[in-house]
Amino acid sequence: MVTAVRHLGPNWYASVMGTAIVATAGTGLPVHLPGLRTICAAVWLLSLALLLALLCARALHWRHHGDQARAHLLDPAMAPFYGCLAMALLAVGGGALTVGRYWIGTTAAVALDAVLFTAGTAVGLAAAITVPYLMAVRQKAEPRHATPVWLLPLVAPMVSAALGPLLVPHLPAGQPRETLLLACFAMFGLSLLATLAMLPLVFARVVTGGPLPLALTPTLFLVLGPLGQSTTAVGTFADVAPGVVAAPYSQGFGALAVLYGVPVMGFALLWLGLATAHVVRARRHGMGFAMTWWAFTFPVGTCVTGAESLARHTGLVVYDWLATGLFVALVAAWAGAALHTARGVVSGALLAGPRPAPVAPLPVRVRTTSGAVR
Protein backbone atom coordinates (compact mmCIF):
# COMPACT_ATOMS: atom_id res chain seq x y z
CA MET A 1 0.00 0.00 0.00
CA VAL A 2 2.81 2.39 0.91
CA THR A 3 4.54 1.77 -2.41
CA ALA A 4 1.30 2.11 -4.36
CA VAL A 5 0.76 5.71 -3.22
CA ARG A 6 4.22 7.01 -4.16
CA HIS A 7 2.96 8.64 -7.35
CA LEU A 8 -0.48 9.60 -5.99
CA GLY A 9 -0.66 13.35 -6.65
CA PRO A 10 -3.14 16.01 -5.52
CA ASN A 11 -4.77 15.81 -8.97
CA TRP A 12 -6.66 12.75 -7.73
CA TYR A 13 -8.92 15.01 -5.65
CA ALA A 14 -10.54 16.00 -8.95
CA SER A 15 -12.37 12.66 -8.87
CA VAL A 16 -13.96 13.66 -5.55
CA MET A 17 -15.00 17.06 -6.91
CA GLY A 18 -16.42 15.53 -10.07
CA THR A 19 -18.44 12.97 -8.13
CA ALA A 20 -19.81 15.43 -5.56
CA ILE A 21 -20.96 17.92 -8.19
CA VAL A 22 -23.09 15.24 -9.87
CA ALA A 23 -25.07 14.86 -6.64
CA THR A 24 -25.32 18.60 -6.00
CA ALA A 25 -26.31 19.51 -9.54
CA GLY A 26 -28.86 16.70 -9.72
CA THR A 27 -30.81 17.97 -6.73
CA GLY A 28 -31.47 21.36 -8.35
CA LEU A 29 -32.80 20.11 -11.67
CA PRO A 30 -36.26 21.30 -12.75
CA VAL A 31 -37.06 17.71 -13.76
CA HIS A 32 -38.39 15.64 -10.87
CA LEU A 33 -37.69 12.02 -11.74
CA PRO A 34 -38.67 9.16 -9.40
CA GLY A 35 -35.68 8.08 -7.35
CA LEU A 36 -33.47 10.98 -8.47
CA ARG A 37 -32.95 12.26 -4.93
CA THR A 38 -31.99 8.78 -3.73
CA ILE A 39 -29.51 8.36 -6.57
CA CYS A 40 -27.99 11.77 -5.86
CA ALA A 41 -27.66 10.91 -2.17
CA ALA A 42 -25.91 7.66 -3.06
CA VAL A 43 -23.51 9.53 -5.36
CA TRP A 44 -22.80 12.01 -2.56
CA LEU A 45 -22.03 9.16 -0.17
CA LEU A 46 -19.63 7.80 -2.80
CA SER A 47 -17.89 11.20 -2.96
CA LEU A 48 -17.58 11.22 0.84
CA ALA A 49 -16.05 7.74 0.79
CA LEU A 50 -13.63 8.77 -1.97
CA LEU A 51 -12.63 11.86 0.00
CA LEU A 52 -11.87 9.86 3.14
CA ALA A 53 -9.92 7.25 1.16
CA LEU A 54 -7.85 9.89 -0.63
CA LEU A 55 -7.13 11.85 2.55
CA CYS A 56 -5.74 8.66 4.11
CA ALA A 57 -3.77 7.75 0.98
CA ARG A 58 -2.32 11.25 0.68
CA ALA A 59 -1.34 11.21 4.36
CA LEU A 60 0.60 8.00 3.69
CA HIS A 61 2.12 9.66 0.63
CA TRP A 62 3.42 12.62 2.66
CA ARG A 63 4.67 10.41 5.49
CA HIS A 64 6.50 7.76 3.46
CA HIS A 65 7.28 9.61 0.22
CA GLY A 66 8.02 13.14 1.36
CA ASP A 67 10.57 13.60 -1.43
CA GLN A 68 7.93 12.93 -4.06
CA ALA A 69 5.39 15.14 -2.26
CA ARG A 70 7.84 18.05 -2.17
CA ALA A 71 8.66 17.46 -5.82
CA HIS A 72 4.94 17.76 -6.64
CA LEU A 73 4.75 21.03 -4.70
CA LEU A 74 7.66 22.47 -6.70
CA ASP A 75 6.39 21.19 -10.05
CA PRO A 76 4.48 23.94 -11.94
CA ALA A 77 2.40 21.26 -13.66
CA MET A 78 1.34 19.58 -10.39
CA ALA A 79 1.36 22.28 -7.69
CA PRO A 80 -1.84 24.01 -8.90
CA PHE A 81 -3.74 20.80 -8.18
CA TYR A 82 -3.46 21.57 -4.47
CA GLY A 83 -6.48 23.75 -5.15
CA CYS A 84 -8.35 20.51 -5.84
CA LEU A 85 -7.91 19.44 -2.21
CA ALA A 86 -9.74 22.56 -1.07
CA MET A 87 -12.49 22.17 -3.65
CA ALA A 88 -12.95 18.48 -2.82
CA LEU A 89 -13.51 19.33 0.85
CA LEU A 90 -15.90 22.12 -0.06
CA ALA A 91 -17.83 20.12 -2.65
CA VAL A 92 -18.47 17.21 -0.29
CA GLY A 93 -19.36 19.60 2.52
CA GLY A 94 -21.83 21.51 0.36
CA GLY A 95 -23.33 18.25 -0.83
CA ALA A 96 -24.00 17.29 2.78
CA LEU A 97 -26.48 20.15 3.08
CA THR A 98 -28.03 19.94 -0.37
CA VAL A 99 -28.57 16.19 -0.59
CA GLY A 100 -26.74 14.32 2.17
CA ARG A 101 -29.09 15.64 4.87
CA TYR A 102 -31.83 13.35 3.55
CA TRP A 103 -29.74 10.37 4.65
CA ILE A 104 -27.72 11.60 7.64
CA GLY A 105 -30.09 14.23 9.02
CA THR A 106 -29.88 18.01 9.04
CA THR A 107 -27.93 18.28 12.30
CA ALA A 108 -25.18 15.92 11.15
CA ALA A 109 -25.13 17.55 7.71
CA VAL A 110 -24.65 21.03 9.19
CA ALA A 111 -21.86 19.80 11.47
CA LEU A 112 -20.10 17.99 8.61
CA ASP A 113 -20.41 20.94 6.27
CA ALA A 114 -19.13 23.35 8.91
CA VAL A 115 -15.98 21.27 9.39
CA LEU A 116 -15.34 20.69 5.69
CA PHE A 117 -16.18 24.29 4.74
CA THR A 118 -13.76 25.66 7.36
CA ALA A 119 -10.98 23.29 6.33
CA GLY A 120 -11.60 23.73 2.61
CA THR A 121 -11.67 27.52 2.84
CA ALA A 122 -8.43 27.60 4.83
CA VAL A 123 -6.68 25.29 2.36
CA GLY A 124 -8.13 27.21 -0.61
CA LEU A 125 -6.94 30.60 0.63
CA ALA A 126 -3.51 29.15 1.41
CA ALA A 127 -3.28 27.61 -2.07
CA ALA A 128 -4.39 30.86 -3.74
CA ILE A 129 -1.39 32.59 -2.15
CA THR A 130 1.24 29.86 -1.94
CA VAL A 131 0.97 28.32 -5.40
CA PRO A 132 1.32 31.60 -7.38
CA TYR A 133 4.17 32.57 -5.04
CA LEU A 134 6.01 29.31 -5.73
CA MET A 135 5.36 29.68 -9.45
CA ALA A 136 7.06 33.09 -9.38
CA VAL A 137 9.92 32.38 -6.97
CA ARG A 138 10.78 28.68 -7.19
CA GLN A 139 9.23 27.29 -10.36
CA LYS A 140 10.07 30.17 -12.73
CA ALA A 141 6.86 29.76 -14.73
CA GLU A 142 6.76 31.40 -18.15
CA PRO A 143 3.74 32.68 -20.14
CA ARG A 144 4.39 30.16 -22.93
CA HIS A 145 3.85 27.37 -20.41
CA ALA A 146 0.45 28.68 -19.28
CA THR A 147 -2.35 26.12 -19.15
CA PRO A 148 -5.86 26.20 -17.65
CA VAL A 149 -4.44 24.18 -14.73
CA TRP A 150 -2.99 27.46 -13.43
CA LEU A 151 -6.54 28.58 -12.60
CA LEU A 152 -7.16 25.80 -10.06
CA PRO A 153 -5.77 27.44 -6.90
CA LEU A 154 -7.52 30.70 -7.80
CA VAL A 155 -10.93 29.06 -8.24
CA ALA A 156 -10.96 27.43 -4.81
CA PRO A 157 -12.09 30.60 -2.95
CA MET A 158 -14.94 30.94 -5.46
CA VAL A 159 -16.17 27.50 -4.44
CA SER A 160 -16.15 28.71 -0.84
CA ALA A 161 -18.09 31.78 -1.93
CA ALA A 162 -20.73 29.66 -3.66
CA LEU A 163 -21.17 27.06 -0.91
CA GLY A 164 -20.63 29.15 2.22
CA PRO A 165 -24.07 30.81 2.07
CA LEU A 166 -25.67 27.39 2.59
CA LEU A 167 -24.53 27.66 6.22
CA VAL A 168 -25.89 31.18 6.74
CA PRO A 169 -29.44 30.14 7.79
CA HIS A 170 -27.95 27.79 10.39
CA LEU A 171 -26.06 30.58 12.18
CA PRO A 172 -27.54 32.89 14.86
CA ALA A 173 -29.39 35.84 13.35
CA GLY A 174 -27.64 39.18 13.10
CA GLN A 175 -23.89 39.69 12.92
CA PRO A 176 -22.87 36.02 12.47
CA ARG A 177 -25.06 35.57 9.39
CA GLU A 178 -24.10 38.88 7.82
CA THR A 179 -20.41 38.32 8.52
CA LEU A 180 -20.39 34.93 6.78
CA LEU A 181 -22.36 36.22 3.80
CA LEU A 182 -20.08 39.22 3.27
CA ALA A 183 -16.98 37.05 3.83
CA CYS A 184 -18.22 34.83 1.00
CA PHE A 185 -18.80 37.93 -1.13
CA ALA A 186 -15.22 39.00 -0.41
CA MET A 187 -13.93 35.59 -1.54
CA PHE A 188 -16.05 35.97 -4.66
CA GLY A 189 -14.18 39.19 -5.46
CA LEU A 190 -10.81 37.70 -4.54
CA SER A 191 -11.24 34.76 -6.87
CA LEU A 192 -12.92 36.71 -9.67
CA LEU A 193 -10.20 39.38 -9.92
CA ALA A 194 -7.40 36.82 -9.68
CA THR A 195 -9.04 34.74 -12.41
CA LEU A 196 -9.46 37.79 -14.63
CA ALA A 197 -5.72 38.46 -14.23
CA MET A 198 -4.77 34.86 -15.12
CA LEU A 199 -7.32 34.07 -17.84
CA PRO A 200 -5.73 36.30 -20.54
CA LEU A 201 -2.49 34.32 -20.22
CA VAL A 202 -4.38 31.08 -20.73
CA PHE A 203 -6.45 32.46 -23.63
CA ALA A 204 -3.34 33.87 -25.33
CA ARG A 205 -1.53 30.54 -24.95
CA VAL A 206 -4.43 28.65 -26.51
CA VAL A 207 -4.81 31.05 -29.44
CA THR A 208 -1.16 31.82 -30.23
CA GLY A 209 0.73 28.82 -28.86
CA GLY A 210 -1.01 26.11 -30.83
CA PRO A 211 -3.10 23.24 -29.47
CA LEU A 212 -2.26 21.88 -26.06
CA PRO A 213 -0.63 18.43 -25.79
CA LEU A 214 -3.23 15.71 -26.24
CA ALA A 215 -3.28 14.67 -22.57
CA LEU A 216 -3.78 18.28 -21.46
CA THR A 217 -6.54 19.12 -23.94
CA PRO A 218 -9.37 18.23 -21.49
CA THR A 219 -8.03 20.89 -19.09
CA LEU A 220 -9.53 23.51 -21.38
CA PHE A 221 -12.80 22.70 -19.62
CA LEU A 222 -11.30 24.02 -16.37
CA VAL A 223 -12.00 27.56 -17.57
CA LEU A 224 -15.70 26.79 -17.15
CA GLY A 225 -15.12 26.37 -13.40
CA PRO A 226 -14.78 30.02 -12.38
CA LEU A 227 -17.48 31.01 -14.86
CA GLY A 228 -20.13 28.56 -13.70
CA GLN A 229 -19.15 28.76 -10.03
CA SER A 230 -19.27 32.56 -9.94
CA THR A 231 -22.72 32.50 -11.56
CA THR A 232 -23.80 29.99 -8.92
CA ALA A 233 -22.30 32.16 -6.18
CA VAL A 234 -24.18 35.35 -7.05
CA GLY A 235 -27.40 33.35 -7.25
CA THR A 236 -26.77 31.88 -3.81
CA PHE A 237 -26.06 35.35 -2.40
CA ALA A 238 -29.43 36.49 -3.71
CA ASP A 239 -31.16 33.46 -2.20
CA VAL A 240 -29.99 34.08 1.37
CA ALA A 241 -29.50 37.88 1.44
CA PRO A 242 -33.11 38.86 2.36
CA GLY A 243 -33.27 39.24 6.11
CA VAL A 244 -29.50 38.95 6.46
CA VAL A 245 -28.40 42.31 5.04
CA ALA A 246 -30.33 45.57 4.77
CA ALA A 247 -33.03 45.84 2.11
CA PRO A 248 -31.14 47.94 -0.48
CA TYR A 249 -28.22 45.49 -0.46
CA SER A 250 -30.37 42.37 -0.52
CA GLN A 251 -32.13 43.76 -3.58
CA GLY A 252 -28.74 44.51 -5.09
CA PHE A 253 -27.73 40.87 -4.70
CA GLY A 254 -30.90 39.90 -6.55
CA ALA A 255 -30.03 42.23 -9.42
CA LEU A 256 -26.42 41.02 -9.46
CA ALA A 257 -27.56 37.42 -9.86
CA VAL A 258 -29.09 38.31 -13.24
CA LEU A 259 -26.92 41.20 -14.47
CA TYR A 260 -23.72 39.24 -13.77
CA GLY A 261 -24.92 35.70 -14.35
CA VAL A 262 -26.47 36.09 -17.79
CA PRO A 263 -23.39 37.49 -19.65
CA VAL A 264 -20.96 35.23 -17.80
CA MET A 265 -23.02 32.16 -18.69
CA GLY A 266 -22.97 33.38 -22.28
CA PHE A 267 -19.16 33.43 -22.24
CA ALA A 268 -19.18 29.99 -20.60
CA LEU A 269 -21.17 28.59 -23.51
CA LEU A 270 -18.73 30.17 -25.95
CA TRP A 271 -15.79 28.56 -24.14
CA LEU A 272 -17.64 25.26 -23.96
CA GLY A 273 -17.91 25.23 -27.74
CA LEU A 274 -14.23 26.12 -28.16
CA ALA A 275 -13.05 23.51 -25.67
CA THR A 276 -15.27 20.83 -27.21
CA ALA A 277 -13.82 21.54 -30.66
CA HIS A 278 -10.29 21.11 -29.28
CA VAL A 279 -11.23 17.84 -27.59
CA VAL A 280 -12.80 16.46 -30.79
CA ARG A 281 -9.59 17.32 -32.63
CA ALA A 282 -7.49 15.69 -29.92
CA ARG A 283 -9.56 12.49 -30.05
CA ARG A 284 -9.04 12.32 -33.80
CA HIS A 285 -5.30 12.60 -33.17
CA GLY A 286 -5.30 9.72 -30.70
CA MET A 287 -6.00 11.29 -27.30
CA GLY A 288 -6.40 8.47 -24.77
CA PHE A 289 -7.58 8.42 -21.19
CA ALA A 290 -5.71 10.37 -18.54
CA MET A 291 -6.71 11.76 -15.16
CA THR A 292 -7.26 15.07 -16.94
CA TRP A 293 -10.58 13.61 -18.14
CA TRP A 294 -11.98 14.59 -14.73
CA ALA A 295 -11.85 18.16 -16.05
CA PHE A 296 -15.00 17.24 -17.98
CA THR A 297 -16.95 16.90 -14.72
CA PHE A 298 -16.70 19.56 -12.01
CA PRO A 299 -16.43 22.59 -14.34
CA VAL A 300 -19.45 21.42 -16.35
CA GLY A 301 -21.27 20.75 -13.08
CA THR A 302 -20.75 24.36 -12.00
CA CYS A 303 -22.39 25.45 -15.25
CA VAL A 304 -25.35 23.22 -14.40
CA THR A 305 -25.75 24.87 -10.99
CA GLY A 306 -25.21 28.27 -12.60
CA ALA A 307 -27.98 27.61 -15.12
CA GLU A 308 -30.24 26.37 -12.30
CA SER A 309 -29.59 29.62 -10.46
CA LEU A 310 -30.47 31.70 -13.51
CA ALA A 311 -33.64 29.67 -13.97
CA ARG A 312 -34.70 30.54 -10.40
CA HIS A 313 -33.93 34.24 -10.69
CA THR A 314 -35.16 34.91 -14.23
CA GLY A 315 -38.02 32.43 -14.46
CA LEU A 316 -36.95 31.59 -18.01
CA VAL A 317 -37.61 28.02 -19.15
CA VAL A 318 -34.61 28.17 -21.46
CA TYR A 319 -32.29 27.98 -18.45
CA ASP A 320 -34.17 24.93 -17.19
CA TRP A 321 -33.49 23.23 -20.49
CA LEU A 322 -29.87 24.39 -20.46
CA ALA A 323 -29.35 22.97 -16.96
CA THR A 324 -30.94 19.66 -17.95
CA GLY A 325 -28.88 19.33 -21.13
CA LEU A 326 -25.63 20.14 -19.35
CA PHE A 327 -26.49 17.68 -16.59
CA VAL A 328 -26.93 14.88 -19.12
CA ALA A 329 -23.48 15.73 -20.52
CA LEU A 330 -22.09 15.85 -16.97
CA VAL A 331 -23.39 12.37 -16.11
CA ALA A 332 -21.97 10.95 -19.34
CA ALA A 333 -18.59 12.55 -18.68
CA TRP A 334 -18.56 11.35 -15.07
CA ALA A 335 -19.42 7.78 -16.10
CA GLY A 336 -16.61 7.71 -18.65
CA ALA A 337 -14.00 9.17 -16.31
CA ALA A 338 -15.07 6.96 -13.39
CA LEU A 339 -15.02 3.77 -15.48
CA HIS A 340 -11.56 4.42 -16.91
CA THR A 341 -10.21 5.47 -13.50
CA ALA A 342 -11.53 2.30 -11.86
CA ARG A 343 -9.92 0.19 -14.57
CA GLY A 344 -6.63 2.04 -14.17
CA VAL A 345 -6.61 1.58 -10.41
CA VAL A 346 -7.42 -2.13 -10.62
CA SER A 347 -4.75 -2.73 -13.26
CA GLY A 348 -2.25 -0.50 -11.43
CA ALA A 349 -1.57 1.56 -14.55
CA LEU A 350 -2.71 4.86 -12.99
CA LEU A 351 -0.68 4.34 -9.82
CA ALA A 352 2.53 3.43 -11.63
CA GLY A 353 5.36 5.90 -11.98
CA PRO A 354 6.08 7.74 -15.22
CA ARG A 355 7.69 5.59 -17.84
CA PRO A 356 11.32 6.36 -18.68
CA ALA A 357 11.91 7.95 -22.04
CA PRO A 358 12.99 5.43 -24.67
CA VAL A 359 16.66 5.42 -25.56
CA ALA A 360 17.30 6.45 -29.14
CA PRO A 361 18.89 3.60 -31.15
CA LEU A 362 22.43 4.03 -32.40
CA PRO A 363 22.75 4.89 -36.09
CA VAL A 364 23.30 1.82 -38.28
CA ARG A 365 25.28 1.80 -41.48
CA VAL A 366 23.62 -0.31 -44.16
CA ARG A 367 24.54 -1.12 -47.72
CA THR A 368 21.86 -0.51 -50.33
CA THR A 369 21.33 -2.65 -53.41
CA SER A 370 23.31 -0.14 -55.42
CA GLY A 371 26.34 -0.64 -53.21
CA ALA A 372 26.21 2.79 -51.53
CA VAL A 373 26.74 2.93 -47.79
CA ARG A 374 24.17 4.89 -45.73
Side-chain angles (χ1 to χ4, degrees):
M1 176 63 182
V2 173
T3 304
V5 300
R6 175 166 178 77
H7 301 284
L8 187 74
N11 57 319
W12 279 75
Y13 286 112
S15 62
V16 178
M17 298 159 51
T19 303
I21 198 67
V22 172
T24 302
T27 59
L29 288 176
V31 180
H32 301 286
L33 299 175
L36 179 61
R37 180 180 294 178
T38 302
I39 294 173
C40 289
V43 172
W44 173 78
L45 284 175
L46 174 60
S47 72
L48 177 60
L50 288 173
L51 175 63
L52 294 175
L54 275 175
L55 287 175
C56 293
R58 287 285 296 164
L60 288 174
H61 176 82
W62 270 97
R63 180 174 180 178
H64 297 281
H65 304 289
D67 59 330
Q68 187 72 10
R70 287 187 291 273
H72 284 163
L73 193 58
L74 297 177
D75 182 355
M78 186 62 72
F81 284 100
Y82 274 92
C84 290
L85 167 58
M87 290 185 280
L89 295 168
L90 292 164
V92 174
L97 275 181
T98 55
V99 64
R101 61 190 176 94
Y102 298 115
W103 277 28
I104 65 175
T106 301
T107 301
V110 171
L112 179 60
D113 188 24
V115 171
L116 294 180
F117 173 78
T118 302
T121 299
V123 173
L125 292 174
I129 296 171
T130 303
V131 174
Y133 173 80
L134 290 176
M135 291 173 66
V137 175
R138 297 293 299 275
Q139 300 167 1
K140 305 300 182 182
E142 300 181 15
R144 62 190 178 90
H145 297 147
T147 71
V149 172
W150 287 11
L151 294 171
L152 287 173
L154 305 179
V155 179
M158 186 65 77
V159 181
S160 293
L163 297 178
L166 297 176
L167 287 169
V168 169
H170 301 282
L171 293 177
Q175 291 262 338
R177 292 185 180 184
E178 186 173 0
T179 299
L180 179 57
L181 178 59
L182 293 186
C184 291
F185 193 35
M187 288 188 285
F188 166 84
L190 178 160
S191 180
L192 177 64
L193 295 177
T195 299
L196 291 177
M198 186 69 75
L199 190 55
L201 292 175
V202 176
F203 198 13
R205 164 65 183 84
V206 172
V207 174
T208 63
L212 293 175
L214 296 183
L216 285 178
T217 302
T219 64
L220 289 171
F221 277 73
L222 295 177
V223 176
L224 297 176
L227 304 176
Q229 198 66 276
S230 61
T231 302
T232 303
V234 292
T236 310
F237 297 156
D239 292 337
V240 303
V244 176
V245 296
Y249 302 110
S250 63
Q251 295 170 357
F253 277 121
L256 182 66
V258 177
L259 297 180
Y260 174 90
V262 171
V264 170
M265 185 57 67
F267 180 68
L269 294 176
L270 168 68
W271 192 273
L272 177 62
L274 176 64
T276 301
H278 274 266
V279 169
V280 170
R281 173 195 173 276
R283 286 291 286 174
R284 289 176 176 174
H285 284 74
M287 181 188 77
F289 174 74
M291 286 299 289
T292 51
W293 276 35
W294 283 101
F296 297 140
T297 57
F298 189 81
V300 174
T302 67
C303 291
V304 176
T305 57
E308 291 169 349
S309 171
L310 287 174
R312 291 195 309 272
H313 292 283
T314 65
L316 295 178
V317 178
V318 65
Y319 286 114
D320 287 333
W321 284 105
L322 176 61
T324 303
L326 289 175
F327 183 74
V328 172
L330 168 63
V331 171
W334 176 83
L339 178 61
H340 283 86
T341 301
R343 287 177 176 173
V345 171
V346 172
S347 67
L350 287 178
L351 296 174
R355 296 178 181 178
V359 179
L362 296 174
V364 179
R365 295 170 63 86
V366 298
R367 185 175 299 277
T368 66
T369 56
S370 62
V373 176
R374 296 183 180 177

